[in-house]
Amino acid sequence: MSRLFVYLIPVFVIAVFMVMAHFERRVAHDPTHRGFFDRNGTVLGIAFIALVAFWTLFLVVLPYLYMVQESFHPKLVAAERGGPKDILTLEQYRSFFIQPTDGEVNTTHLWAFFFSLAASAAVTVLNFAICYPLAYYMAQAGSVQKVRLLMLALIVPYWVNEILRAFSLRLLLASKGLINQVLMGLGLTDAPVDFLGNNVGLYVGLSYAYLLVMMFPLYNAVESLDKNQIEAARDLGAPWWRIHKDVVIPYAKPGIASGCTMVFMLSAGSLAAPQFLGGPKTLWFTSIVYDFFFQAFNWPRGAAYAFLLLAGCIALVMLMLRVFKVSLGETIR
Amino acid sequence: MSADVELDRVTVRFGQFTAVKEASLKIAGGEFFSFLGPSGCGKTTILRTVSGFLDPSEGAVRIAGKDMIGIGANKRPTALIFQNLALFPLMTVAENITYGLRVRGMNKADRRKRADELLHLIALPGQGDKLVSELSGGQKQRVAIARALAVEPQVLLLDEPLSALDLKLRQHMRNELRAIQQRVGITFIYITHDQGEALTMSDRIAVMNNGVIEQVGDGKAVYDEPRTSFVASFVGENNPFAGRVAKADRTGAVVETPFGLLRGRNPNGVKEGDKAILFVRPEALRVGEGPKDATVTSTVLNVAFEGNASHIFLKGADKKDITLTVGRLERVEIPEQGSTASVTYNPDLGLVLPEGKLARE
Ligand SMILES: Nc1ncnc2c1ncn2[C@@H]1O[C@H](COP(=O)(O)OP(=O)(O)OP(=O)(O)O)[C@@H](O)[C@H]1O
Ligand SMILES: [Mg+2]
């Protein structure tokens, strides 16, 4: 029974929106405005609404809603679903903090959670540090030809598929890999450096995987900045770092926020790169979720964990937007 | 404090293209100096060279006697007002005005005080907390001026700052700029392609064409004593009559034009047989017969009434009309359209110059 009420939520939400729209029309009445059905005719109007509603409901809203309610149920075999044991429970969420088997604090999962968020934040910062100078150069400083070449050099590597990219990076960073051989050949180290075990591979791989995701919002934001603004600041005596601090970065802030948000969300939710490139002791949170779904067939717990990850990410992003005084609307401008 | 600016055979090249050729001149401290020339002649290039955004390919820029090579734009005693103003949209008016002071490390209270003073100077008192986007075009203009003046530059550089404004406001801002310049007493270098602007405001004007400075002088000199055909045709209206010089001496020359032999002064000393152009200003022509070597007879194409004056257009050579301006209160008979009329001038107001490129056409 409790599973059914999920299907009522969309109806409820739509009703709320309709009431809101109704009130708004009353408050801001525009006599020249023609209603949706006036403009399109009744039949076409209904068809449009039905199509959009189908799209949002079945492809966007319902799958998530199904997962939400799944996460509030116990793990049951098919025969017991809908039976007396099928109750609403917070058990799955509690299991993230307290292990259900022995009642101990679930340090493994908690650690994986915080490590994933922290590492993703680090990847985001690293990515920003790499992309900002590049984006600035491409948008404001470089000559057309060089910029085109650079753009090509940035995009072409993405034709290579992710697995190949990850494993070639592994080869490069392995203890008998090229980089270690060069380092030892030059006599910089005696023993090979354990890049993979120290998660260097993970950071490099993740940064590289989402480089363009950071690059394009940054580039777009910086590109639309009037060159004269930069020169005006310079003319008024600003050294280069002040120009960036006072003029370029404030102007590009929405783009920066949008790039950082996306890179952070994508890295925190990525699955392949951490598995291929993480050190043997590294446990990425998405791997745990993956295992619950496909190894343990514990969908409720997997769903609960996935939503915890989502909530954690959103909370952190919101906090950061707050700290840097960017409104959410600006980031998707 | 104001500083003099010296260009010493400055040449600027972009690849193969030479944008400024061997420009040499000296601008005195406290002078209002204008560069006047058609679009693309290299005015902005010169200004950017003075402000430090461009290095000359050859030659030197000296400000207050000091060679500026290797001194960046942020270290020069100049301030530039951009063609599009380039105010910072995310800062308030006061923050815009005091940005240069903030960069120099002035504290907040002093900045606030200075902003108030400058807002008074530009007649926008109490508007410091507005956003730039809340200002009108003319107000933005004045904020840009205040922002540049705040850093107390010795030289203020202005790149067509009035071109975006409408006519009335432009005329108003001309007077305003001139007044501000006299109040602060620093050197102004002003760029424009509007000769009216250059003539009304400047102490001296440099007329440029194709990267070359053709003439430097005060407004009267540039208007009354142009030294090249380009300057004669670019500054103010002028009627050119081209042909070969038939007779020449120190005081005057006679040119064989399609309208017969015509006489004018000969300041550049053209010689018999040279190709030359005789220039006569529209206001120097009047309707009627005069001496034979100062009279042109042609068909009247059109008469245009313009309030304070009327313009009469006669058929000229090479499809170029001859323009004649008659003041409103001059009691002359305006000839009919389509009739044949004679116009004459005082030969002292005709000017024979060596043949050269004309403006526009
Ligand atoms: N960065 C550049 N690279 C190549 N050519 C340039 C560059 N800047 C200017 N030029 C060229 O130099 C010439 C002079 O340009 P400049 O901007 O000085 O003209 P201007 O006199 O200011 O014209 P306008 O009145 O239209 O502003 C132009 O032909 C222009 O194409
Ligand atoms: Mg220009």
Side-chain angles (χ1 to χ4, degrees):
Chain A
M1 258 335 275
S2 60
R3 286 176 204 277
L4 260 182
F5 98 105
V6 151
Y7 300 99
L8 291 176
I9 294 179
V11 178
F12 175 71
V13 170
I14 289 172
V16 167
F17 272 107
M18 272 174 75
V19 170
M20 275 165 62
H22 185 73
F23 272 101
E24 189 177 290
R25 201 171 328 142
R26 273 233 213 117
V27 173
H29 182 71
D30 174 7
T32 61
H33 183 79
R34 291 169 66 212
F36 181 73
F37 286 105
D38 283 348
R39 265 179 289 143
N40 298 309
T42 317
V43 177
L44 216 55
I46 290 176
F48 280 150
I49 290 184
L51 284 173
V52 173
F54 176 81
W55 162 264
T56 40
L57 277 184
F58 285 88
L59 298 177
V60 183
V61 180
L62 279 181
Y64 294 134
L65 279 179
Y66 181 78
M67 276 301 182
V68 171
Q69 60 88 25
E70 191 69 35
S71 72
F72 288 104
H73 283 274
K75 186 198 172 196
L76 295 169
V77 292
E80 287 176 323
R81 282 165 79 93
K85 281 192 176 172
D86 200 358
I87 46 161
L88 283 177
T89 169
L90 282 175
E91 174 195 330
Q92 309 302 352
Y93 288 91
R94 197 177 318 118
S95 72
F96 172 65
F97 301 98
I98 312 282
Q99 284 208 332
T101 44
D102 50 12
E104 295 282 313
V105 175
N106 193 348
T107 42
T108 327
H109 291 175
L110 281 170
W111 169 246
F113 182 80
F114 288 112
F115 173 74
S116 297
L117 290 194
S120 299
V123 164
T124 308
V125 171
L126 183 68
N127 237 341
F128 175 72
I130 295 169
C131 286
Y132 179 78
L134 265 179
Y136 180 78
Y137 175 82
M138 291 197 345
Q140 293 286 344
S143 68
V144 180
Q145 276 164 340
K146 279 186 199 149
V147 167
R148 224 177 263 158
L149 217 71
L150 200 60
M151 198 75 105
L152 209 65
L154 278 172
I155 292 174
V156 168
Y158 287 86
W159 296 354
V160 177
N161 58 61
E162 197 182 357
I163 304 240
L164 192 58
R165 219 178 319 134
F167 277 101
S168 45
L169 204 58
R170 253 194 109 94
L171 278 181
L172 213 62
L173 294 171
S175 50
K176 289 213 179 84
L178 186 66
I179 293 182
N180 268 320
Q181 282 182 5
V182 169
L183 284 181
M184 292 200 295
L186 291 174
L188 290 174
T189 58
D190 302 329
V193 182
D194 186 10
F195 289 119
L196 292 171
N198 290 319
N199 284 330
V200 173
L202 177 67
Y203 295 120
V204 173
L206 277 178
S207 301
Y208 193 44
Y210 301 118
L211 200 71
L212 288 190
V213 177
M214 181 68 92
M215 196 67 206
F216 280 112
L218 276 191
Y219 176 78
N220 274 338
V222 179
E223 207 244 0
S224 60
L225 173 63
D226 177 11
K227 249 195 183 66
N228 285 348
Q229 300 253 324
I230 296 168
E231 291 191 340
R234 207 165 121 70
D235 191 57
L236 290 168
W240 66 268
W241 59 269
R242 270 213 91 117
I243 298 177
H244 286 281
K245 177 177 154 287
D246 296 338
V247 178
V248 187
I249 290 181
Y251 180 83
K253 209 153 77 173
I256 295 172
S258 134
C260 287
T261 307
M262 282 205 279
V263 168
F264 175 74
M265 292 286 199
L266 287 172
S267 347
S270 71
L271 189 61
Q275 261 173 11
F276 300 149
L277 292 166
K281 292 191 292 287
T282 305
L283 186 54
W284 202 254
F285 197 69
T286 51
S287 309
I288 300 173
V289 178
Y290 179 89
D291 285 348
F292 277 128
F293 276 108
F294 292 105
Q295 306 290 317
F297 295 107
N298 191 346
W299 280 46
R301 200 163 174 197
Y305 273 48
F307 281 112
L308 281 169
L309 179 64
L310 183 63
C313 287
I314 290 178
L316 201 67
V317 166
M318 288 308 196
L319 181 74
M320 285 299 138
L321 291 181
R322 247 289 165 55
V323 169
F324 290 107
K325 298 200 183 71
V326 193
S327 77
L328 191 62
E330 279 179 294
T331 65
I332 50 178
R333 197 173 52 176
Chain B
M1 198 175 66
S2 67
D4 52 291
V5 176
E6 189 185 351
L7 303 184
D8 187 1
R9 276 173 291 131
V10 169
T11 297
V12 184
R13 287 190 207 92
F14 297 110
Q16 293 292 308
F17 177 75
T18 308
V20 175
K21 264 180 247 135
E22 304 221 340
S24 288
L25 51 82
K26 221 170 169 162
I27 300 167
E31 195 172 359
F32 196 124
F33 191 94
S34 293
F35 283 93
L36 173 65
S39 184
C41 71
K43 305 180 297 286
T44 298
T45 306
I46 285 200
L47 211 63
R48 291 173 64 79
T49 317
V50 174
S51 60
F53 290 114
L54 270 177
D55 281 329
S57 314
E58 277 159 41
V61 175
R62 282 187 277 272
I63 299 177
K66 193 160 171 255
D67 196 329
M68 285 289 131
I69 299 253
I71 298 181
N74 52 349
K75 300 263 161 63
R76 295 193 183 188
T78 59
L80 177 58
I81 295 179
F82 290 80
Q83 194 156 354
N84 66 354
L85 305 184
L87 295 173
F88 305 125
L90 300 175
M91 299 184 197
T92 65
V93 168
E95 283 169 345
N96 259 286
I97 291 178
T98 54
Y99 182 72
L101 303 174
R102 195 170 117 210
V103 166
R104 284 163 177 72
M106 186 188 268
N107 71 40
K108 207 164 180 172
D110 289 350
R111 288 209 310 263
R112 191 74 234 183
K113 229 175 81 204
R114 190 81 181 104
D116 286 342
E117 285 167 21
L118 283 159
L119 283 168
H120 258 283
L121 179 78
I122 57 169
L124 287 176
Q127 312 229 28
D129 292 327
K130 278 193 178 173
L131 278 177
V132 171
S133 55
E134 294 164 352
L135 298 180
S136 74
Q139 291 172 330
K140 282 184 193 155
Q141 192 69 56
R142 285 180 277 178
V143 172
I145 294 167
R147 183 178 72 174
L149 290 176
V151 296
E152 295 178 358
Q154 295 172 19
V155 182
L156 192 67
L157 309 167
L158 305 97
D159 190 353
E160 308 201 30
L162 306 187
S163 57
L165 306 181
D166 62 58
L167 185 67
K168 269 273 176 317
L169 194 53
R170 199 152 67 216
Q171 281 166 348
H172 173 74
M173 285 306 297
R174 277 183 200 173
N175 300 335
E176 198 109 316
L177 267 181
R178 184 69 198 174
I180 289 175
Q181 195 257 345
Q182 275 159 1
R183 226 172 309 155
V184 296
I186 61 174
T187 315
F188 271 42
I189 302 183
Y190 190 90
I191 278 191
T192 179
H193 61 249
D194 179 334
Q195 33 134 340
E197 227 164 84
L199 291 173
T200 47
M201 294 196 291
S202 323
D203 295 321
R204 281 195 305 155
I205 301 169
V207 183
M208 286 188 72
N209 185 32
N210 265 332
V212 176
I213 295 179
E214 299 239 339
Q215 186 170 352
V216 180
D218 62 22
K220 236 171 130 41
V222 173
Y223 190 81
D224 287 339
E225 305 291 339
R227 280 213 302 269
T228 66
S229 296
F230 176 81
V231 176
S233 58
F234 186 76
V235 182
E237 290 294 316
N238 228 331
N239 295 306
F241 299 93
R244 263 183 210 288
V245 179
K247 224 168 70 191
D249 57 35
R250 267 205 352 271
T251 55
V254 177
V255 182
E256 184 160 10
T257 72
F259 295 94
L261 295 170
L262 293 175
R263 170 179 292 279
R265 284 187 296 131
N266 183 14
N268 287 26
V270 296
K271 297 202 175 54
E272 206 176 306
D274 288 353
K275 279 187 162 181
I277 303 176
L278 166 76
F279 288 96
V280 185
R281 297 246 179 231
E283 68 269 22
L285 284 170
R286 64 201 152 71
V287 183
E289 293 274 348
K292 204 169 170 314
D293 58 1
T295 303
V296 173
T297 305
S298 186
T299 318
V300 178
L301 291 175
N302 194 7
V303 178
F305 173 69
E306 201 200 71
N308 60 349
S310 292
H311 302 288
I312 303 170
F313 299 97
L314 302 181
K315 192 171 161 52
D318 303 335
K319 299 202 190 77
K320 281 174 210 150
D321 297 351
I322 302 165
T323 315
L324 179 158
T325 304
V326 184
R328 180 86 173 107
L329 300 176
E330 285 175 48
R331 303 231 162 263
V332 293
E333 194 137 328
I334 305 243
E336 294 259 326
Q337 189 174 333
S339 65
T340 303
S342 289
V343 296
T344 183
Y345 62 92
N346 178 348
D348 276 348
L349 299 177
L351 199 58
V352 179
L353 294 170
E355 187 181 52
K357 230 172 118 59
L358 299 184
R360 291 176 286 263
E361 284 95 16

